[in-house]
Amino acid sequence: TGYHKATVKSSIDFLEKEGVLQGFGPKINFRGLGYNLEVLSLTQADLSAQKAFETYLSTIEKDPHVYWVSSVVGGGNWNILSRHIYKNVEAYHAESQKRYRSIPGFYDLVKDTQSFFSVEPIFKNESRTKSIIELVKKEGGKENGL
């Protein structure tokens, strides 16, 4: 950064105290480890199938392939957006068949699923951290407390 390490440390401490930093750690290139397929799934769910929904969420929580899940509301439907990593399409289909489609009430819960596969070439791959830093700088970082 070109700044003295004490300056960097105090800035990190300040941002952590303010709740801006979520954590620290390495950024791993999952493709470099043979996980060449990233899947984004948009699932339309019928929440009246409450027991199946609870089992579904519990299954997602235990699935190491799924690294991010969020609710998405729009168009009158309640949806789940999830991100997964797999070695290939065959592994994705086999795993989802084994793990999810066997949930009792799955077909009452899930009305539709659209899956999108992110593969090479990747045209842009920036970190969210870099993006937010650039946005805050553009908006005037001092006004935002940074």
Side-chain angles (χ1 to χ4, degrees):
T1 64
Y3 294 104
H4 189 274
K5 65 182 177 180
T7 303
V8 172
K9 171 79 170 107
S10 67
S11 296
I12 289 172
D13 290 346
F14 169 77
L15 292 172
E16 193 171 32
K17 180 182 169 205
E18 293 295 311
V20 175
L21 297 181
Q22 290 182 323
F24 303 88
K27 184 174 180 182
I28 296 173
N29 176 1
F30 58 87
R31 286 184 168 90
L33 295 169
Y35 290 85
N36 296 312
L37 183 71
E38 182 173 20
V39 180
L40 285 78
S41 294
L42 181 61
T43 303
Q44 183 182 0
D46 178 355
L47 293 184
S48 67
Q50 189 62 37
K51 180 80 171 139
F53 181 62
E54 290 170 7
T55 304
Y56 182 77
L57 290 180
S58 175
T59 303
I60 285 174
E61 184 66 34
K62 296 173 191 163
D63 187 348
H65 295 277
V66 179
Y67 67 91
W68 187 89
V69 179
S70 178
S71 60
V72 180
V73 179
N77 298 316
W78 195 92
N79 298 295
I80 302 165
L81 179 64
S82 56
R83 296 179 183 173
H84 325 225
I85 52 172
Y86 295 91
K87 291 196 173 193
N88 52 49
V89 173
E90 293 81 10
Y92 163 70
H93 286 296
E95 192 66 30
S96 64
Q97 183 71 32
K98 178 179 79 173
R99 233 180 245 275
Y100 296 99
R101 302 207 189 310
S102 63
I103 294 172
F106 176 83
Y107 294 101
D108 294 327
L109 171 67
V110 175
K111 298 305 174 195
D112 188 27
T113 297
Q114 297 291 319
S115 295
F116 304 93
F117 305 108
S118 172
V119 296
E120 300 288 344
I122 296 172
F123 302 106
K124 184 174 181 180
N125 186 18
E126 300 288 339
S127 74
R128 287 184 301 178
T129 300
K130 181 179 179 197
S131 292
I132 196 67
I133 288 171
E134 292 302 317
L135 289 168
V136 169
K137 280 182 185 177
K138 184 178 178 182
E139 293 170 1
K142 293 180 182 179
E143 296 168 11
N144 294 304
L146 301 175

